[in-house]
């Protein structure tokens, strides 16, 4: 079981992701933008950051950089339709971050979370 910080601006997708992760036994705090997720990041401890890249306010790459500063051991997974953005070295995304490209099946997400947490 992991304590997961989920940042995704698509309301319906965020709801589905949170439900699937909760059903898999994880504790999920979900937020519609990077600004609110950043506040939660600074207030609570998390095992995993699961974030979209393109969001209003603080984007997912910046959120991931801040998460890595707050807790270098925190696992980071980008969920995005813009994998090339996350993988571009110029963005300075944390090097240990994983990328799960949209679209994906909820089973793939749960499996990736399990894999990342076991590593």
């Amino acid at each position: 079981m992991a304590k997961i910080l989920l940042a995704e601006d698509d309301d319906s997708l965020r709801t589905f992701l949170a439900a699937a992760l909760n059903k898999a036994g994880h504790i999920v705090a979900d937020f519609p933008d990077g600004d609110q997720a950043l506040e939660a990041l600074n207030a609570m401890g998390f095992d995993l950051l699961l974030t979209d890249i393109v969001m209003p306010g603080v984007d997912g790459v910046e959120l991931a950089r801040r998460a890595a500063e707050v807790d270098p051991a925190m696992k980071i997974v980008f969920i995005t339709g813009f994998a090339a953005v996350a993988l571009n070295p110029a963005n300075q995304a944390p090097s240990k971050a994983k990328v799960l490209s949209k679209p994906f099946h909820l089973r793939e997400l749960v499996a990736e979370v399990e894999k990342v947490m076991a590593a």
Side-chain angles (χ1 to χ4, degrees):
M1 176 175 65
K3 189 170 179 187
I4 300 172
L5 173 58
L6 171 61
E8 168 59 64
D9 61 330
D10 180 311
D11 292 335
S12 57
L13 179 58
R14 187 178 66 256
T15 300
F16 284 123
L17 298 177
L21 292 166
N22 280 319
K23 186 176 179 181
H26 302 290
I27 298 168
V28 181
D30 61 285
F31 299 93
D33 59 52
D35 295 317
Q36 291 179 48
L38 185 57
E39 287 179 28
L41 175 68
N42 290 322
M44 300 176 251
F46 294 94
D47 302 310
L48 171 70
L49 169 63
L50 187 60
T51 183
D52 190 7
I53 291 179
V54 179
M55 295 184 294
V58 174
D59 69 14
V61 174
E62 179 63 21
L63 182 60
R65 281 197 295 263
R66 303 257 188 105
E69 290 172 4
V70 169
D71 181 0
M74 187 181 307
K75 311 287 185 169
I76 299 169
V77 176
F78 291 112
I79 48 172
T80 184
F82 302 97
V85 174
L87 299 173
N88 184 340
N91 286 329
Q92 300 175 340
S95 61
K96 295 179 183 177
K98 304 292 181 195
V99 177
L100 187 59
S101 294
K102 293 177 186 175
F104 53 82
H105 193 280
L106 292 177
R107 285 190 306 258
E108 291 176 84
L109 172 71
V110 172
E112 184 66 22
V113 167
E114 300 296 333
K115 182 177 157 185
V116 167
M117 293 311 301

